[in-house]
Amino acid sequence: MTQPTTPQANDQSPTTPRIHWASSGGFILAAAGSAVGLGNIWKFPYITGVYGGGAFVLVYLGCVLAVGLPLMIAELMIGRRAQENPVGAFQKLHYRGSPWQITGWLGVASGFVILSFYSVIAGWALAYVFESLSGFSGAAADIQAQFDALAGSAPRSAFWHTVFMALTIGIVMGGVRDGIERWVKILMPGLLAILGGLMIYGLFFTDGGSQAIGFLFQPDFSKLSAEGILSALGHAFFTLSLGMGAMITYGSYMNRDSHIVRDAITISLLDTVIALLAGIVIFSLVFSYGLEPNVGPGLIFHTLPVLFAETGPWVSVPFFVLLTFAALSSTISLLEVVVSYFVDERGWNRKAATLVMGAVIYVLGLLSAIAVLKVPFRGSEQGFLDILDYISTNYMLPIGGLLTCLFSAWIIKDQVRREEFGSAGLAYKAFVWTLRLITPVAVLIIILHGLNLLPFVE
Ligand code: TRP
């Protein structure tokens, strides 16, 4: 599946043919790397804990199938067909100047916003690789205060954010093949190996393994709330990197002989399996020390280090390396969306686009790194990290996803869609009608919920 005829230099010039992934395996690792991130290892376990386990997991799997997978196929289709960044892609598949390009604009803007705060959290993960090298000790309250000291300190958060952005910029500057593809081939196998090792530890070397499996896979529907269902829906979206053109961008580097549907299934499956494995690891630890699973966002940085004081650095160092790898393969996809726009549409060269836009995002991220910087937002004083997270997760991504869904369901020519799908049989019909009816309604519900316009949930 390699195309040796596409030289690396084409990466930078908009007039020569577009660079493609060197192999379909490289593409799958890159796209799965984008999908697998803080969402899988930090957020999925904690929301599963908050919303009661098994039943929530089941709903989440349903959302991945009904909303995530169709939209992933749709984004890859748009990208591969157009062979352009999101702004150019919507125009190319409609007409030059088409208002649908707004969807692409929104995606590029989301890239700026999400990467800025995501890098701050990723920086904490990196900092914790080093903190756990020396081990955690002392009373639980002291170990927890250790994290608050990091997150609350502007110089320390800013320092690790700087390191993380530098890593991201360094990789993206290398280009699609020599930067992104080369690095995900190291990061993703590393991530899988660490996760496998930790899972064996959790299942066989702690007393919490079977309880963790029961918690994740035995649904108790009495624990399911409307709020839980909506979170599952929103999370299916975020965890698969949908709604901002990341998959459009990665799809634009696909060869014509790649299989969009098969690849989208592989990527979604990898993302889901990795989230579940992370859940097994974390809940095995939590249950083996008799703790409650429902502590919320502090699960990884507050609760786990208390347990790591018992297990020692053998468990905690790999864990935070895992978190760092997962985050890094996601931040490069966020930056690539922005870079591809400036390269394709503005004719910048890749190095300049990566450096300049990386620097702009870095500066924006400093606002999130300064925890004491608070502004009034929705009736209270809040930090930038929470505000930007809130705006992007609740507004930007769902709106981008809804527009992408409507575009690919109703605007693209049926023939184009069929060609990209690769068949016209029953599977295709099921895909189109899911994309026309089920996916947009589900996404609309996420948006209304974000706006507090759903009367039946708090
Ligand atoms: N999917 C990533 C995660 O689970 C986050 C992410 C990376 C993302 N790129 C994205 C989310 C693009 C939305 C859009 O952590």
Side-chain angles (χ1 to χ4, degrees):
M1 228 153 273
T2 42
Q3 273 208 338
T5 47
T6 316
Q8 178 61 35
N10 292 349
D11 210 4
Q12 299 180 359
S13 162
T15 52
T16 41
R18 196 173 191 72
I19 181 126
H20 287 146
W21 304 103
S23 69
S24 68
F27 159 68
I28 288 177
L29 289 182
S34 167
V36 175
L38 298 171
N40 301 61
I41 294 161
W42 166 65
K43 194 161 184 197
F44 173 76
Y46 98 66
I47 55 178
T48 300
V50 168
Y51 293 116
F56 172 83
V57 172
L58 211 59
V59 173
Y60 163 74
L61 294 179
C63 294
V64 167
L65 263 184
V67 183
L69 185 61
L71 211 50
M72 164 108 45
I73 295 173
E75 285 205 16
L76 292 177
M77 277 181 165
I78 293 174
R80 187 178 71 171
R81 186 72 179 199
Q83 297 281 301
E84 280 192 37
N85 71 96
V87 175
F90 282 94
Q91 299 184 68
K92 194 154 173 186
L93 298 189
H94 200 207
Y95 56 86
R96 276 289 142 201
S98 156
W100 285 96
Q101 69 179 290
I102 290 171
T103 317
W105 286 104
L106 191 64
V108 174
S110 308
F112 275 92
V113 172
I114 297 177
L115 181 51
S116 76
F117 71 81
Y118 199 94
S119 165
V120 174
I121 305 175
W124 296 337
L126 185 56
Y128 259 53
V129 172
F130 294 93
E131 301 251 333
S132 47
L133 268 176
S134 47
F136 297 100
S137 60
D142 297 332
I143 295 174
Q144 297 183 339
Q146 198 175 334
F147 177 69
D148 298 333
L150 168 68
S153 154
R156 289 179 63 201
S157 287
F159 171 78
W160 291 106
H161 163 61
T162 309
V163 176
F164 210 89
M165 278 307 294
L167 289 171
T168 306
I169 290 170
I171 293 176
V172 173
M173 214 152 61
V176 173
R177 282 191 185 185
D178 291 346
I180 299 175
E181 193 168 354
R182 178 157 93 195
W183 277 93
V184 294
K185 281 185 176 159
I186 300 168
L187 295 173
M188 294 306 284
L191 179 150
L192 282 171
I194 295 173
L195 195 57
L198 286 173
M199 189 193 66
I200 292 171
Y201 172 79
L203 283 182
F204 303 113
F205 294 88
T206 73
D207 319 323
S210 57
Q211 211 180 334
I213 297 276
F215 181 71
L216 285 168
F217 298 108
Q218 281 170 5
D220 172 358
F221 287 97
S222 67
K223 287 188 181 157
L224 199 60
S225 59
E227 188 68 39
I229 295 175
L230 290 167
S231 292
L233 202 54
H235 185 65
F237 215 76
F238 182 81
T239 190
L240 292 172
S241 299
L242 299 170
M244 60 155 277
M247 292 298 161
I248 296 180
T249 307
Y250 275 13
S252 75
Y253 305 123
M254 282 173 100
N255 285 311
R256 278 237 56 89
D257 61 2
S258 48
H259 300 266
I260 286 182
V261 177
R262 192 190 64 192
D263 290 356
I265 292 174
T266 310
I267 297 160
S268 310
L269 208 63
L270 270 171
D271 183 78
T272 306
V273 168
I274 290 174
L276 293 172
L277 291 184
I280 292 176
V281 169
I282 290 166
F283 290 121
S284 299
L285 277 163
V286 166
F287 289 131
S288 71
Y289 290 94
L291 297 180
E292 289 300 320
N294 57 352
V295 294
L299 185 62
I300 278 197
F301 290 112
H302 263 142
T303 308
L304 284 191
V306 176
L307 311 179
F308 289 149
E310 310 289 326
T311 65
W314 308 114
V315 181
S316 55
V317 173
F319 181 83
F320 287 109
V321 172
L322 168 76
L323 194 59
T324 302
F325 278 19
L328 187 56
S329 60
S330 297
T331 53
I332 57 185
S333 81
L334 287 158
L335 185 55
E336 180 61 26
V337 172
V338 175
V339 168
S340 74
Y341 165 74
F342 282 90
V343 171
D344 291 354
E345 300 290 307
R346 303 286 176 111
W348 290 26
N349 81 39
R350 167 172 286 271
K351 285 207 168 55
T354 312
L355 271 174
V356 173
M357 290 307 137
V360 171
I361 294 168
Y362 165 72
V363 173
L364 184 62
L366 288 175
L367 294 176
S368 294
I370 306 173
V372 286
L373 199 62
K374 297 211 189 296
V375 291
F377 182 70
R378 295 184 359 113
S380 66
E381 295 278 310
Q382 296 196 34
F384 274 88
L385 198 156
D386 291 330
I387 296 172
L388 296 181
D389 183 12
Y390 182 88
I391 293 175
S392 54
T393 311
N394 290 302
Y395 301 94
M396 301 179 82
L397 292 181
I399 292 172
L402 182 62
L403 293 174
T404 307
C405 173
L406 294 175
F407 182 80
S408 53
W410 301 98
I411 307 294
I412 290 186
K413 285 199 202 81
D414 188 55
Q415 187 203 346
V416 167
R417 196 170 41 217
R418 225 179 316 123
E419 280 171 16
E420 294 302 310
F421 192 85
S423 81
L426 204 61
Y428 176 69
K429 292 207 176 72
F431 163 72
V432 172
W433 285 103
T434 307
L435 204 59
R436 286 193 167 159
L437 301 176
I438 301 176
T439 316
V441 170
V443 179
L444 197 63
I445 291 175
I446 307 179
I447 297 173
L448 293 178
H449 172 57
L451 294 169
N452 275 331
L453 290 178
L454 287 188
F456 52 90
V457 247
E458 320 269 272

